[in-house]
Structure formats: C-alpha cells, structure tokens
Amino acid sequence: MKLSERLGMRVGLNSARMYPMVKPRELKHKKRLNIYPAPPFHFDGTFHKPSHFPATTEDWEPGKFWQTIRLGNKLLGLKIEKGGFAAKPQIRVTVYSGKPIVSTELENIRRELIYRNELDNDLKQFRVLTARDKRFAPIFRRWQGMRNATSDSLYKLLIISVVLQNATVRRSVQMLTALLERYGDRVQFDKREFYAIWLPERMAGVGEDELRALKVGYRAKFIKRLSADMAAGLVDEQKLRGLDTDTIKKELLRLYGVGPETVRILLFEVFHRSDAFIHIAPWQQKIYSRLFYKKKLMPAARIQRDIQKQYGQYAMLAVHYIWEDIFWRRRHEHIPWLEEEIRL
DNA sequence: CATCAGGGCCCTG
DNA sequence: CAGGGCCCTGAT
C-alpha cells in the first residue's frame, strides 16, 4: 500500500509532485532487543492513539507498531511487537539501520523507548485512584496498563503542533505530508516504506516562499524559526527531561510559535507530566462537556477545576484514557455528536 | 458566488 | 489582557 493511501485521504497533491520522488533508503541491518515493561501493560493502547491523525512516519496493526526514529545522527527504523503474557509482558523490538549498530547504541535505543513509552512505570497509584472512580472505572479497567506514550521527538511534535494550529485535521495532514515528502527522509525496512522527520538544520537554507508553496501559509515563518532555534540548541530535549515542570514550561514557551495549547501537548506527550491538564482548547471543551457532563458546553475553567480536583497529579493522564477510549469506540460505533466536533 | 471559522499564536494598543 | 490578523480549505 502506498504511503498516501494509508492515510485514507487525498494528500500531498500540491507537494513533492513538483520534485523528483527520491528512492527510499533501505535500512537493511537488523538487531533485536527485548524490553520487559512493568505489568500490567496494554500494548495496543500504548502504541496506537486513535485520536492522533495518521502520519507516514509510522504504522500500527494489533500487536505491531512501526516507526522511524532519529537518535544522534542515526536514522533508524523500529518494528515493535507484542510478546510475553499478562504477568510478564514483553516488547520485541527489531532495529533497522543503514550502517551496523553497536551495542552502546542499542542501549540508547532501549533507554529512549523506555522513556518515550513509560515502560518502567507500573502506574500503581494511578490504578488505585481510578479504581474507585464511579463513572469511569470501566474505561480505566478496559485500558489498564496503557501508557501515555509518544513515538515523536520534541522537534517532530513541535512541527505537528504548528500544522495543527488554526486548521482542520484534513489540512493538517496535508501540510505534514507535503513537508515530509519534500524535506523528510524516505526509508524502507521490514518491506514497508516510511518517512522520517528531517533534521532541523535542513530548514536553514529553505526560503519562506518555498515553504509557503507547500500551502502551510503563515506557519512557514514558525517552521523556519523553530527549526533554527532547535538546530542552534536553544532548548535541549534530553536536558529538559530532568527539570521541574515549571522550568520546562518556561523554556518551551521561549520557542516562537509555542503557546498555551502547544506547551500542554509537549509537557504531557514529550515530557510525560501526567498533571499537565493546564489548557482546554475550544474544540476540546465541547468534547469534554459531553464526556464529563453530558452537556453541550460547560465553562472551560469549571471543567479544568473539576478534573484537577478529582484526578490531581494524574489529571491529564486520566483525561487521556477517557479521550482515547471514545476515539477507539468511534471505529465501531457511530457517535454523531463526536463526528460533528472533530470534522475531518 | 461570497463568507466564515478552523485541533493557536503573535503582536498591538 | 482583549482582539485583530494570519494562509488555506471545505462547509454553508
């Protein structure tokens, strides 16, 4: 299946078609790596987030997940498979690379996967808290062991956040696809094709009008400045991980194009701050109103206060469970009010 | 056809 | 601290 077909919609019509399509680079070296996440563990809930829009940098089937990843200057392909059993869950990782991987790099990949997917966290306190939640206990039980996981680097999620701004999902997908086709790296592994996010330096020589030709609009300036700042090391993802939430927030807000909603996304998904329920966008407000109050529209401040009061340091994580659950259900049952709000 | 707001953010007054 | 403007698109 072609990459653009996988997205299930017409995309990329305006993008790299003007330029010759580059052949995918084959990542033919393989190494295996096993990780044993703290039980309980929910593989599909962790590695697939149905509320996220599809990207050509990854793919999922039940029990399997593929993604590209950049570590240091290496571009890698990962195939991640479900293994083990309930009492001892296992994650089987195949690492694909252009040049052979040495064992220290393999250990870096392990560490990175554990951090990005919270594999060393058994969420015990969270389970205790949610088990006595009268309304949503069934949801928390259904997804028990699901982590707040992300396949994205800080830079990639910054770019995604920028294409999300003031656009409908369809257009966001178009923009990201166009950018990946033009500037991303095309690779092949496990008989599949993917794109990888370009290095931020790649944007240095790119003109704003060249970006605008990909119909990203005023976001061209954001993409340029964000890339320059990231390439210059204005913020360091690895360093930020160890800092307290307020400092991370302050640092991220220095980036041009990062405001309250983007910083919330980054704090939760990239930096795993489970309490980062710090902003509610208007479209989320409508969905939360339905989910939590069965009402059309509740004041955002009220929603935030209620959720924070009930789930405390796990406020954002709890919302994540309920949010992803409704998007999973959407596949099998028609939920009219939801369709109305998300407008693909 | 025209108008409008969208999975925000920056900048101005 | 509120509100206008921003690119482009599909909905009305």
Side-chain angles (χ1 to χ4, degrees):
Chain A
M1 191 167 24
K2 285 221 177 73
L3 282 173
S4 52
E5 285 168 11
R6 251 192 6 237
L7 301 184
M9 44 183 97
R10 295 180 352 157
V11 291
L13 299 175
N14 46 39
S15 57
R17 298 289 172 265
M18 301 188 277
Y19 306 94
M21 201 65 157
V22 207
K23 265 198 182 159
R25 178 145 55 105
E26 202 183 336
L27 306 177
K28 50 181 106 169
H29 290 92
K30 283 202 271 187
K31 275 242 162 105
R32 292 291 310 274
L33 158 69
N34 290 329
I35 301 173
Y36 297 88
F41 182 65
H42 196 303
F43 184 94
D44 292 318
T46 299
F47 286 103
H48 181 59
K49 305 298 183 185
S51 80
H52 293 187
F53 72 72
T56 51
T57 56
E58 59 184 61
D59 200 10
W60 167 84
E61 288 170 13
K64 291 175 188 169
F65 181 72
W66 295 261
Q67 72 166 100
T68 54
I69 189 170
R70 287 186 180 280
L71 283 185
N73 52 9
K74 273 235 165 67
L75 170 52
L76 307 166
L78 301 178
K79 182 185 190 183
I80 300 173
E81 294 171 280
K82 181 180 177 174
F85 43 97
K88 193 183 181 186
Q90 181 196 43
I91 291 173
R92 305 148 64 89
V93 183
T94 312
V95 183
Y96 296 84
S97 59
K99 287 180 192 163
I101 301 179
V102 299
S103 56
T104 55
E105 290 173 319
L106 209 58
E107 279 316 296
N108 284 340
I109 296 163
R110 175 195 302 277
R111 270 213 308 278
E112 192 63 20
L113 283 175
I114 290 172
Y115 183 83
R116 289 195 191 188
N117 302 293
E118 303 185 347
L119 299 177
D120 54 353
N121 183 352
D122 69 2
L123 296 173
K124 185 150 191 282
Q125 286 187 60
F126 177 69
R127 291 206 309 279
V128 171
L129 175 73
T130 53
R132 52 168 192 256
D133 178 338
K134 289 210 172 56
R135 282 187 302 174
F136 297 116
I139 290 178
F140 292 120
R141 204 174 311 120
R142 187 177 317 141
W143 298 106
Q144 189 175 93
M146 173 170 81
R147 310 297 207 266
N148 161 32
T150 181
S151 55
D152 299 326
S153 63
L154 170 60
Y155 177 66
K156 186 176 170 217
L157 202 48
L158 278 166
I159 297 296
I160 290 175
S161 303
V162 167
V163 302
L164 279 172
Q165 292 172 11
N166 212 29
T168 48
V169 171
R170 179 185 215 87
R171 196 168 165 236
S172 298
V173 174
Q174 280 180 0
M175 286 189 276
L176 187 66
T177 305
L179 288 164
L180 284 168
E181 287 182 353
R182 182 82 179 93
Y183 305 109
D185 292 289
R186 196 157 157 244
V187 298
Q188 186 184 344
F189 64 94
D190 197 33
K191 296 176 192 149
R192 288 164 180 254
E193 271 188 36
F194 297 91
Y195 278 96
I197 188 79
W198 57 90
L199 289 167
E201 298 88 292
R202 175 81 175 78
M203 283 294 157
V206 175
E208 199 179 310
D209 29 329
E210 185 183 323
L211 278 173
R212 279 176 177 262
L214 303 181
K215 307 200 173 175
V216 299
Y218 65 89
R219 298 170 193 80
K221 192 165 71 172
F222 290 22
I223 294 169
K224 288 275 306 172
R225 279 183 64 171
L226 270 176
S227 299
D229 285 349
M230 291 301 285
L234 184 68
V235 301
D236 180 336
E237 178 176 3
Q238 298 288 332
K239 226 181 263 173
L240 285 190
R241 285 179 185 176
L243 304 180
D244 65 282
T245 304
D246 284 343
T247 309
I248 301 175
K249 185 177 169 188
K250 209 173 72 205
E251 290 295 304
L252 292 175
L253 286 170
R254 290 166 62 205
L255 293 166
Y256 189 75
V258 174
E261 173 61 7
T262 300
V263 87
R264 181 199 63 80
I265 295 173
L266 297 173
L267 277 178
F268 183 60
E269 295 196 16
V270 177
F271 297 101
H272 299 278
R273 306 301 148 135
S274 304
D275 58 345
F277 192 59
I278 55 176
H279 182 256
I280 299 176
W283 73 285
Q284 296 160 346
Q285 182 187 355
K286 294 176 197 161
I287 297 179
Y288 293 156
S289 298
R290 294 278 193 167
L291 287 175
F292 301 135
Y293 305 91
K294 298 193 195 305
K295 291 258 168 63
K296 262 212 134 69
L297 200 64
M298 294 291 284
R302 165 81 191 279
I303 300 174
Q304 200 177 342
R305 202 175 56 235
D306 288 349
I307 293 292
Q308 279 172 343
K309 191 174 169 205
Q310 181 164 8
Y311 300 105
Q313 60 169 318
Y314 296 107
M316 193 66 245
L317 186 63
V319 171
H320 175 68
Y321 269 64
I322 297 160
W323 183 264
E324 293 303 327
D325 178 73
I326 191 83
F327 278 86
W328 275 93
R329 275 166 46 198
R330 175 171 170 261
R331 305 196 153 181
H332 307 293
E333 53 185 292
H334 184 60
I335 308 170
W337 65 263
L338 184 60
E339 296 304 323
E340 206 172 298
E341 301 303 356
I342 54 184
R343 299 176 317 102
L344 294 174

